Amino acid sequence: MDEALLAYDAGRVDALAGHRDAARAKDASTGADYRMGFLDGRIEIFRMLASVREILDGDSP
């Protein structure tokens, strides 16, 4: 379980840093956890950028 959480966190950190570790993503035991963390990190960045666009466009409530 600890390995899965560490892989998830590594994926999220890599996503926020803007790079993906292909070797970790392909790992048989923790690759899925890494990829899920990476995806969650990318979604977080997308939401942050969407918020910035709303602020710049003046569409915020």
Side-chain angles (χ1 to χ4, degrees):
M1 182 64 159
D2 288 338
E3 289 181 15
L5 292 174
L6 290 173
Y8 175 88
D9 185 55
R12 190 174 168 280
V13 168
D14 284 354
L16 295 175
H19 65 85
R20 182 174 178 259
D21 186 342
R24 286 184 112 163
K26 291 179 183 178
D27 185 84
S29 60
T30 59
D33 299 306
Y34 176 86
R35 290 188 304 270
M36 184 57 69
F38 189 86
L39 178 61
D40 286 348
R42 296 305 296 171
I43 290 171
E44 185 175 336
I45 290 171
F46 176 81
R47 287 181 179 159
M48 179 193 66
L49 291 175
S51 296
V52 170
R53 280 188 210 108
E54 284 181 13
I55 291 169
L56 292 176
D57 290 341
D59 294 339
S60 60

